[in-house]
Amino acid sequence: MILQSLDRLVSADFPEAHVSLTLANVTDTARTLERNHLCGPIAGIVQADLIGCVVLMGTRLDTPGQTLALRLRLPQGALGGAFLECAYGYAVRGFVNQKVLPALDDSPEPDETLFDRAIGRAAHCAVTRAWPDGRHDETAFEVAFEDRLTVTDIVEEYFRGNLGLNVLAQLSAASKTGYVECAHALLCEFHPEASDATCRRVEDRFDDGSVQDLLDAGAGLTALAAHLELGPAGETKSSPVRFACGCSAQKVLGMLRALPLAERRAMAAEGKSVDIFCHMCGKCYTVTPQQLRGLL
């Protein structure tokens, strides 16, 4: 059990290079959702990448009470799709459609091949941003590649195609003995004043895999900035990232109370406990026979 999450999002501007970096550690959040949803190893790793993805998208939330939801449809992938939500303040919940993939989880194929089969070559994406007063806006886009599609491509397409920002992204998630061991997400944003030389240097280090290696090793923002030669950091901001869901035992009882009386009577007559799972976070609520009789 995770008693205190160490997940955190750290961001900094680098004025000499006219670049901003945002680094998110989402390991504990990924482990919590993996455990709550009883995910297999492949679904757990892809879900970890998607958590990093939605946290990076959530950096654009600027009002308390706002939420950003990412809904994916993967027509060619074994996962089928996913739904992830990030609230203002980086409270995250969500799920992948298929939690266990026996044909992939037990396969001896390389990880990249398994992830390819889990995601497929195309993703239909819908991003909804909602305000507490009921207002919302939605943007939809598709990402497709003939060779390989990754969650990183979805992040970059959202920021470039929908927000018009010049960015590079990198996601890193690894498992050990079938469980998420670490999960990180990095976003590099080039400001309009950034020189061509700076952009090329940073792009080359993303392309040659060295940024991925540092992220896999758990490097911090300072080490990543030094590797990219961005110069001294300006203002640095830090915020906790956490798993959070609005479900509760009271809401479960309220849902059951809304059922037709005949159904409640039938459930109470069986004299058995009923397990109800939150589809957003996977948490199980057990309703006792005494509670079921109380609903009558």
Side-chain angles (χ1 to χ4, degrees):
M1 178 181 292
I2 298 170
L3 299 178
Q4 183 176 4
S5 174
L6 299 178
D7 288 0
R8 202 152 197 91
L9 182 142
V10 182
S11 61
D13 290 325
F14 296 86
E16 288 185 5
H18 301 291
V19 170
S20 296
L21 288 184
T22 299
L23 175 65
N25 177 10
V26 297
T27 302
D28 291 337
T29 302
R31 288 174 178 168
T32 300
L33 278 174
E34 179 187 44
R35 181 185 66 244
N36 286 6
H37 286 304
L38 302 177
C39 291
I42 300 301
I45 287 294
V46 177
Q47 184 174 256
D49 273 346
L50 289 168
I51 291 168
C53 167
V54 79
V55 167
L56 292 181
M57 291 178 174
T59 58
R60 267 40 190 182
L61 297 175
D62 55 11
T63 305
Q66 272 187 318
T67 60
L68 183 143
L70 169 66
R71 186 181 299 277
L72 293 181
R73 186 164 60 87
L74 304 169
Q76 304 164 6
L79 282 174
F83 180 91
L84 280 299
E85 182 182 83
C86 179
Y88 178 86
Y90 307 110
V92 181
R93 61 179 186 166
F95 59 89
V96 290
N97 290 6
Q98 298 296 324
K99 278 69 174 177
V100 179
L101 305 169
L104 304 185
D105 292 335
D106 301 327
S107 173
E109 296 179 81
D111 286 348
E112 287 189 1
T113 301
L114 298 176
F115 298 154
D116 288 348
R117 291 171 59 189
I119 297 174
R121 295 289 188 270
H124 304 282
C125 314
V127 178
T128 302
R129 186 171 57 168
W131 284 260
D133 61 6
R135 290 180 297 128
H136 70 277
D137 62 45
E138 180 173 308
T139 181
F141 58 96
E142 296 190 14
V143 185
F145 290 92
E146 292 185 1
D147 51 356
R148 187 165 189 244
L149 172 67
T150 68
V151 179
T152 298
D153 299 316
I154 295 170
V155 179
E156 293 183 342
E157 179 59 28
Y158 174 71
F159 280 94
R160 293 174 182 173
N162 293 274
L163 301 184
L165 300 175
N166 186 9
V167 304
L168 291 171
Q170 189 65 66
L171 301 175
S172 169
S175 64
K176 185 176 183 180
T177 63
Y179 299 95
V180 171
E181 180 182 24
C182 58
H184 303 89
L186 176 68
L187 185 73
C188 175
E189 179 183 348
F190 300 100
H191 300 168
E193 301 85 359
S195 68
D196 291 342
T198 295
C199 294
R200 283 195 301 270
R201 181 180 69 249
V202 173
E203 288 172 3
D204 287 345
R205 293 178 189 179
F206 270 77
D207 291 341
D208 66 14
S210 57
V211 170
Q212 177 77 70
D213 291 341
L214 284 171
L215 208 57
D216 290 346
L221 199 70
T222 300
L224 288 161
H227 177 66
L228 298 174
E229 299 180 46
L230 300 181
E235 181 182 4
T236 300
K237 298 179 181 179
S238 178
S239 302
V241 177
R242 68 193 189 283
F243 157 76
C245 186
C247 65
S248 68
Q250 290 75 20
K251 289 183 178 180
V252 168
L253 292 176
M255 178 193 69
L256 293 175
R257 194 173 288 112
L259 293 175
L261 180 58
E263 290 189 35
R264 284 180 277 151
R265 281 178 174 164
M267 294 170 69
E270 291 184 2
K272 299 178 181 179
S273 296
V274 175
D275 289 338
I276 296 178
F277 293 85
C278 172
H279 76 284
M280 286 297 298
C281 72
K283 187 173 182 179
C284 175
Y285 294 91
T286 299
V287 185
T288 66
Q290 182 180 2
Q291 289 174 310
L292 290 170
R293 290 193 295 271
L295 295 175
L296 299 178

